[in-house]
Amino acid sequence: MLKNLLFLLLILCSLFLQLTRAQQPSKADSVEVNLLLEQLNHLLERNLDSALLLSKQVQARTASLHHQEGLWETQIIQGKAFFLMGQKDTAYSILNQVLRESQQQQKRLIQIRASIQLASSFEKDYDFKNAITPLIQAERLLANNDDIDLKFDILNTLGTLHRKMKNYSNALAYFNQLDSNYFYQLTNKQRFMLSMNKGNVYATQRNYSEAEAFFNKAYNEIQTIDSPREHATITYNLGALYYRQKRYKQAEEYITKSLEANIKLGDQLQIERCYRVLGAINLDQDNYKQAEAYFLQALEIARKAQNSKSVLGNYKNLYLNYWHMGYQERSVDHMEKALQYFEKWAHLNDSIYQLETAEKILELEKQYETEKKNNQITLLEKENQLKEDQIYIQRTQRNYLIVFTILVVGILAVFIYFYYYYKKVNRLLQLQGQRILSQRNKISTQNEKLQKSIHTQNKLFSIIAHDLRSPLVSISNVSKLIGFYLADNRMDDLKQVTRMMDQKNDQVLELTDNLLSWAKSQTAGLKPFYESVSIREIIEECFDLYISIAESKEIHLSCPTEEDQQLWGDRNMVKTICRNLINNAIKFTPREGSIQVEFRQVENEVTVCVKDSGIGVPKDKQHILFSINRDKVTPGTEGEKSSGLGLTVCQEFVHAMGGTIWVESNLKQGSTFCFKLPSANSCENTSKQERKTQTLIPSIN
């Protein structure tokens, strides 16, 4: 049974796919439709009537081929043709229909093209409010990988729209965005339109030099394109610009070229404008007869086209022309004609104002009635839909109540069973996971401790192998020399070798003390024995220990002899810290240098500083001074050996007593090593340190 159902399903799917493929246009059909659309766009530039006739044939052909996108493209071109012919309502109806259908079928590119054409039509009709909305929708739908033509159409139309809205900065921003980002991707016609539109902005702002430059760029671009309509437009713009600059000869030349091109195109609106500008050029030059002829021709065309605003403009021009003629020739007839045209102008102006006012009132009334009816219809539809929904809900509730009850009981039983089963399993898994996590954390902690221990052990062995072995070998060699010098009775050399052996012995003892102290600090046995410690007494003991070495390098040691401060800490640890700091200072201070020990109490703490005039420490090495690092090991000013372990021991001891240690140094300007410990004079700090001794756990490095 199941196999039969699957077989039937496969048959239905194959039939559906075949039906879908049959409805989709083939590649050859798409090529044919694209060619027809190219011919239609080409004809739209030359003859609107022929373009409209061809569009109907292309529409029928695309419908027969089931080429829906080609049909929409044809309708968009139809809408543009109807608008150019003055049939605006038809144009808007077609474009809105294409936009609705493409939105329903989610055809993004068709939505963009229809929105652009709608916005362009509204913009040419000076309906800026309705033009902005489709443009914003088109810009939102635009993708980064879309064709450059779509990007150009949107940005160019936005710029033109803002120019007509007198927002010139935004208009130039859109045009400059095209110019800077996409100029080399544009076609010659698009470059022409961009230059012409930028020129229009500058011309409106009366920046005639910039306007002329961009108009000439557009004029040069149009010479390479077979587009009579655009050629007529740029020549008209250049002529109008020259007229504004009172360059009448050039203005008349370009307006005449535009007139000839528009006569071939049959564009009556542009022909009337050309005649009117030619009349204005001759009027400004006092060629009243020629101006009269042009104005009368323009008036005749405007009357035939029933363009009341153009008729109004020509009435005014004729009134001004006859008035100037009558004034110049002292002719009463011309003055009477001027008066007649002025009366016609005034009467028509009042009529147009009243007509526009009545149209606005009628439009508002229609809009109000339409919205009222639409709201009533919507309300009735919602009420009917609500009743239908209520009936449907009651019916479905009655039909599914029994089935729902059975399913709920069954699902509830299964749910209860699996709930307890999975609860038990999850509990076991959680317990097991907690055990694994606990063991993993223990292993990780032990591994970290082991790695640190191995790292510390390796460093210790490295120091022992390098720094301890070297002086022991030297002592062995010196002992052999002593026997040799005794046999040879070379007492002077024997004294020098003896001093050398003393130095090596001191070096071994110092290194051994530091190693033992540091090793002790790394174990749990480092617990300070707190007592009151005299810092001056500690310093004097250290000076007694190193006075001979300092004198041999002619280094002056000094500390306050009258003052004293009492520390709260372990006496041996404090002495070890001071001894290492003074020893380091002697090593790295050149001959005739000085070492000064200072100590002072600030609030409840005592700070001890060992300041030398030595070679100093570079800034990039100061952060490793208190760590075990072979990179920080530097010989003294006279080749004294250094293990680098003394400062590490100092830091361990200071931290064990609850203090801090730091260094302040500049290269070749000496160093100051300071450490800070609690004062023994403060009862508060004393009790605090006593509590610390009860809970102190040595750090593991």
Side-chain angles (χ1 to χ4, degrees):
M1 183 66 181
L2 183 60
K3 291 182 179 179
N4 292 334
L5 287 173
L6 290 173
F7 180 70
L8 181 61
L9 183 61
L10 287 172
I11 292 174
L12 290 173
C13 290
S14 62
L15 289 173
F16 176 76
L17 289 173
Q18 290 177 4
L19 182 61
T20 305
R21 289 173 184 170
Q23 291 179 351
Q24 291 179 350
S26 64
K27 188 175 181 180
D29 293 340
S30 298
V31 172
E32 180 186 351
V33 169
N34 289 334
L35 289 173
L36 289 172
L37 291 173
E38 287 180 8
Q39 294 175 8
L40 187 56
N41 278 313
H42 186 72
L43 189 59
L44 188 66
E45 297 288 333
R46 287 159 177 77
N47 193 310
L48 292 176
D49 293 329
S50 300
L52 191 59
L53 183 62
L54 179 61
S55 71
K56 293 179 180 179
Q57 297 174 3
V58 176
Q59 185 176 1
R61 180 58 181 161
T62 52
S64 65
L65 294 174
H66 301 288
H67 199 295
Q68 184 60 53
E69 292 190 5
L71 178 61
W72 283 329
E73 295 278 7
T74 307
Q75 289 175 323
I76 291 172
I77 298 172
Q78 269 186 356
K80 184 177 181 180
F82 276 119
F83 185 86
L84 292 174
M85 293 175 69
Q87 301 181 32
K88 299 176 182 178
D89 292 339
T90 306
Y92 290 141
S93 176
I94 293 172
L95 292 172
N96 281 315
Q97 180 184 352
V98 173
L99 185 59
R100 283 194 303 271
E101 292 177 359
S102 58
Q103 286 174 343
Q104 290 172 359
Q105 299 191 27
Q106 297 182 350
K107 297 295 182 180
R108 185 177 60 85
L109 295 178
I110 299 297
Q111 289 182 57
I112 294 174
R113 290 191 176 95
S115 298
I116 292 171
Q117 188 55 51
L118 259 178
S120 178
S121 301
F122 282 125
E123 172 256 323
K124 291 176 182 175
D125 205 17
Y126 290 88
D127 189 355
F128 304 132
K129 183 178 179 181
N130 286 326
I132 279 287
T133 304
L135 273 181
I136 293 174
Q137 292 175 350
E139 193 174 15
R140 287 174 180 171
L141 291 171
L142 199 64
N144 292 331
N145 58 349
D146 279 340
D147 192 357
I148 185 63
D149 293 342
L150 292 178
K151 298 177 182 177
F152 174 82
D153 289 341
I154 291 174
L155 293 174
N156 183 64
T157 308
L158 280 168
T160 306
L161 180 61
H162 281 85
R163 176 180 68 83
K164 292 186 177 180
M165 294 169 66
K166 299 183 180 181
N167 190 344
Y168 304 121
S169 59
N170 281 353
L172 285 175
Y174 284 115
F175 293 140
N176 289 333
Q177 185 178 349
L178 280 171
D179 205 348
S180 59
N181 296 338
Y182 306 109
F183 183 79
Y184 294 104
Q185 302 177 40
L186 302 179
T187 63
N188 290 339
K189 184 174 180 180
Q190 289 169 341
R191 292 178 186 175
F192 155 76
M193 294 177 68
L194 179 59
S195 298
M196 186 177 70
N197 287 333
K198 290 179 77 172
N200 285 333
V201 175
Y202 287 115
T204 308
Q205 295 178 304
R206 297 186 179 182
N207 188 347
Y208 296 135
S209 59
E210 289 289 338
E212 184 178 357
F214 281 107
F215 281 157
N216 282 323
K217 283 183 181 180
Y219 187 79
N220 293 333
E221 290 286 350
I222 206 62
Q223 303 305 315
T224 62
I225 307 169
D226 183 18
S227 180
R229 187 174 299 279
E230 306 298 351
H231 188 274
T233 302
I234 189 59
T235 51
Y236 175 84
N237 286 352
L238 276 167
L241 180 66
Y242 291 139
Y243 170 68
R244 292 181 186 179
Q245 297 175 286
K246 300 187 183 303
R247 296 160 63 180
Y248 297 118
K249 185 177 179 181
Q250 292 170 298
E252 189 171 7
E253 177 186 351
Y254 280 95
I255 294 296
T256 303
K257 288 181 181 179
S258 180
L259 176 62
E260 293 170 354
N262 282 307
I263 289 173
K264 291 180 181 179
L265 291 169
D267 192 337
Q268 296 299 316
L269 180 62
Q270 294 298 325
I271 293 171
E272 185 272 332
R273 290 177 67 187
C274 290
Y275 277 133
R276 205 187 324 163
V277 176
L278 286 170
I281 293 170
N282 283 277
L283 176 60
D284 285 359
Q285 298 179 90
D286 299 336
N287 297 329
Y288 302 123
K289 290 292 184 183
Q290 188 62 46
E292 178 187 8
Y294 283 131
F295 287 146
L296 288 173
Q297 285 178 299
L299 178 59
E300 183 181 358
I301 294 171
R303 282 174 174 170
K304 288 181 179 179
Q306 297 181 352
N307 191 332
S308 56
K309 290 187 178 180
S310 297
V311 172
L312 185 68
N314 284 297
Y315 279 159
K316 185 176 181 180
N317 289 336
L318 284 166
Y319 145 67
L320 292 172
N321 189 66
Y322 282 123
W323 187 88
H324 285 293
M325 287 175 67
Y327 179 80
Q328 186 180 30
E329 298 175 5
R330 300 293 188 273
S331 170
V332 177
D333 292 339
H334 289 154
M335 286 294 184
E336 287 179 353
K337 286 184 178 180
L339 183 59
Q340 290 173 5
Y341 278 108
F342 178 77
E343 290 175 350
K344 289 180 179 181
W345 174 83
H347 178 71
L348 182 58
N349 190 37
D350 291 340
S351 300
I352 290 174
Y353 176 76
Q354 292 174 3
L355 182 62
E356 288 179 348
T357 304
E359 287 178 352
K360 287 180 180 178
I361 293 172
L362 183 61
E363 182 67 27
L364 289 173
E365 289 177 352
K366 287 181 179 178
Q367 185 176 357
Y368 173 74
E369 291 295 332
T370 303
E371 289 180 356
K372 184 177 179 181
K373 290 179 180 178
N374 288 336
N375 290 335
Q376 290 176 351
I377 292 169
T378 304
L379 185 60
L380 290 172
E381 288 178 351
K382 288 183 177 179
E383 289 178 355
N384 292 332
Q385 185 65 36
L386 182 61
K387 290 179 181 178
E388 291 178 0
D389 291 342
Q390 288 175 349
I391 294 170
Y392 177 76
I393 290 170
Q394 291 173 0
R395 191 177 298 166
T396 52
Q397 286 177 348
R398 186 176 59 250
N399 293 336
Y400 290 111
L401 183 58
I402 299 174
V403 177
F404 178 75
T405 304
I406 296 172
L407 287 175
V408 167
V409 172
I411 292 171
L412 186 60
V414 174
F415 175 76
I416 292 171
Y417 171 76
F418 281 105
Y419 172 75
Y420 285 106
Y421 174 75
Y422 283 116
K423 186 176 181 181
K424 182 179 178 181
V425 172
N426 286 334
R427 186 177 179 184
L428 293 174
L429 290 174
Q430 287 176 359
L431 290 173
Q432 187 67 22
Q434 290 174 358
R435 291 172 186 166
I436 294 172
L437 184 61
S438 176
Q439 292 175 357
R440 185 183 297 172
N441 290 336
K442 289 179 181 178
I443 293 171
S444 177
T445 304
Q446 291 174 354
N447 185 50
E448 289 178 2
K449 291 180 179 179
L450 180 60
Q451 291 295 331
K452 288 182 180 179
S453 177
I454 292 172
H455 184 63
T456 302
Q457 180 180 326
N458 290 338
K459 288 180 180 178
L460 182 60
F461 287 159
S462 174
I463 291 170
I464 293 172
H466 183 272
D467 295 327
L468 190 58
R469 184 178 181 279
S470 179
L472 289 175
V473 171
S474 298
I475 290 172
S476 175
N477 293 332
V478 168
S479 64
K480 293 178 182 178
L481 284 174
I482 290 173
F484 177 75
Y485 288 154
L486 284 173
D488 241 6
N489 199 21
R490 295 166 59 180
M491 294 302 172
D492 293 336
D493 293 336
L494 185 61
K495 291 179 181 179
Q496 182 178 359
V497 170
T498 304
R499 286 196 300 272
M500 187 184 303
M501 192 164 192
D502 290 338
Q503 290 178 356
K504 295 299 179 181
N505 284 333
D506 292 340
Q507 184 178 348
V508 171
L509 288 172
E510 177 195 349
L511 181 58
T512 304
D513 288 342
N514 283 335
L515 284 171
L516 291 174
S517 298
W518 180 77
K520 188 177 181 181
S521 72
Q522 300 301 304
T523 66
L526 182 62
K527 292 185 179 180
F529 177 77
Y530 288 99
E531 60 180 324
S532 180
V533 180
S534 170
I535 187 61
R536 188 167 63 82
E537 182 181 335
I538 295 292
I539 298 301
E540 289 177 354
E541 290 178 4
C542 292
F543 276 7
D544 291 341
L545 181 63
Y546 291 107
I547 188 66
S548 59
I549 300 174
E551 288 177 352
S552 67
K553 292 184 71 173
E554 300 178 8
I555 294 172
H556 176 66
L557 302 176
S558 64
C559 75
T561 57
E562 297 178 358
E563 300 178 2
D564 192 13
Q565 297 293 339
Q566 297 295 320
L567 292 175
W568 186 253
D570 187 300
R571 177 181 175 81
N572 291 328
M573 288 186 179
V574 174
K575 186 175 181 180
T576 301
I577 295 168
C578 294
R579 178 168 52 79
N580 274 292
L581 293 180
I582 294 171
N583 185 26
N584 275 352
I586 294 171
K587 282 182 185 178
F588 297 104
T589 300
R591 287 186 172 274
E592 299 181 359
S594 63
I595 297 173
Q596 184 177 1
V597 180
E598 300 175 349
F599 45 85
R600 61 186 179 277
Q601 180 173 345
V602 179
E603 294 181 353
N604 298 326
E605 294 178 317
V606 175
T607 301
V608 181
C609 294
V610 178
K611 184 176 182 181
D612 63 60
S613 60
I615 60 177
V617 183
K619 295 290 185 182
D620 58 344
K621 286 190 175 183
Q622 290 182 13
H623 68 284
I624 62 172
L625 285 178
F626 298 103
S627 62
I628 299 179
N629 195 320
R630 300 298 300 173
D631 295 336
K632 74 176 183 181
V633 176
T634 305
T637 57
E638 296 188 359
E640 295 96 330
K641 294 291 183 177
S642 174
S643 66
L645 191 60
L647 290 176
T648 305
V649 172
C650 291
Q651 185 186 52
E652 295 289 345
F653 283 3
V654 169
H655 287 174
M657 291 184 288
T660 55
I661 186 169
W662 68 93
V663 62
E664 298 173 359
S665 179
N666 289 312
L667 197 61
K668 298 182 180 180
Q669 295 182 11
S671 304
T672 302
F673 286 84
C674 300
F675 65 92
K676 184 188 295 184
L677 289 173
S679 169
N681 299 328
S682 173
C683 295
E684 180 183 354
N685 280 309
T686 301
S687 62
K688 185 189 298 182
Q689 293 303 323
E690 288 174 352
R691 289 195 298 270
K692 283 186 178 180
T693 58
Q694 297 173 6
T695 59
L696 182 64
I697 299 175
S699 59
I700 300 174
N701 293 328

